[in-house]
Amino acid sequence: MAKINLQQDVGYKIEVNDNGDYIVIDYEDVNFPVKLNEMYTQIQKATDTLDKSMANIEKQTFTEEDGSFLSGKELARLEAINAFYSKGRNAIDIVFGEGASMKIFGSANRLMMFKEFFEAIEPHLEKAGIDFNAKIEETRQKYQVKKDNKKVI
């Protein structure tokens, strides 16, 4: 039986922890810019939602339960913050694959982790030589079809 394997191991690998785990910037994936945009968009939406949630929580009155370690307001704040981190982690997984955020951050949610990640990943995007406009044009040229001496893309 003949076999064809068109999947290629291409990309720019970045080690993200002391266990040797890595994420890959697949600069050959024409959807990478779309995924990257979606990640940034989702994190911005999550940030906006968190800001609104925190403002609403501050306006609310909570009843306190006897013997509870945290107040109702504190619990509500933590729920909003955890929802933010969950959405942010899911957004990162869109770009770098399922489980990437766990490799990068582990199980803990730290206050500045997303900001630190974006600052750390930016030079790698540049180093990987990702010029998305050039990739789009390269793909367009590669797959163009001529019809009646006119280019159809």
Side-chain angles (χ1 to χ4, degrees):
M1 170 169 60
K3 182 178 176 182
I4 296 175
N5 184 358
L6 297 178
Q7 292 183 346
Q8 299 177 7
D9 186 21
V10 295
Y12 179 82
K13 294 181 181 181
I14 304 166
E15 190 171 326
V16 293
N17 60 34
D18 293 335
N19 298 327
D21 292 327
Y22 61 89
I23 58 174
V24 176
I25 298 173
D26 186 353
Y27 48 81
E28 291 293 321
D29 180 1
V30 295
N31 286 318
F32 186 78
V34 174
K35 292 174 185 177
L36 196 63
N37 185 63
E38 181 65 19
M39 176 186 69
Y40 282 113
T41 301
Q42 284 193 19
I43 288 177
Q44 186 56 55
K45 286 180 184 178
T47 301
D48 294 343
T49 300
L50 177 62
D51 291 342
K52 289 176 187 173
S53 294
M54 291 303 219
N56 287 336
I57 290 167
E58 292 307 313
K59 294 176 189 174
Q60 293 179 11
T61 303
F62 294 88
T63 57
E64 303 304 324
E65 294 184 28
D66 290 337
S68 178
F69 179 70
L70 297 171
S71 71
K73 186 173 275 196
E74 289 169 330
L75 284 172
R77 286 180 187 142
L78 288 172
E79 286 174 8
I81 291 168
N82 283 324
F84 165 76
Y85 282 111
S86 178
K87 290 174 186 176
R89 285 173 171 271
N90 289 337
I92 287 173
D93 287 350
I94 288 171
V95 176
F96 300 105
E98 189 174 334
S101 61
M102 185 60 78
K103 291 178 192 177
I104 297 164
F105 305 116
S107 60
N109 292 323
R110 295 180 339 274
L111 290 177
M112 299 300 290
M113 68 186 210
F114 295 132
K115 181 180 183 295
E116 292 168 356
F117 173 71
F118 293 127
E119 288 173 354
I121 198 74
E122 187 175 346
H124 291 284
L125 291 171
E126 293 172 8
K127 189 174 181 182
I130 297 176
D131 181 346
F132 296 122
N133 291 328
K135 288 290 180 194
I136 291 168
E137 184 58 31
E138 177 184 324
T139 303
R140 182 176 288 141
Q141 293 296 321
K142 183 174 181 178
Y143 294 106
Q144 71 184 355
V145 177
K146 291 188 178 184
K147 183 176 179 181
D148 299 330
N149 290 331
K150 295 181 181 177
K151 293 180 183 178
V152 178
I153 299 175

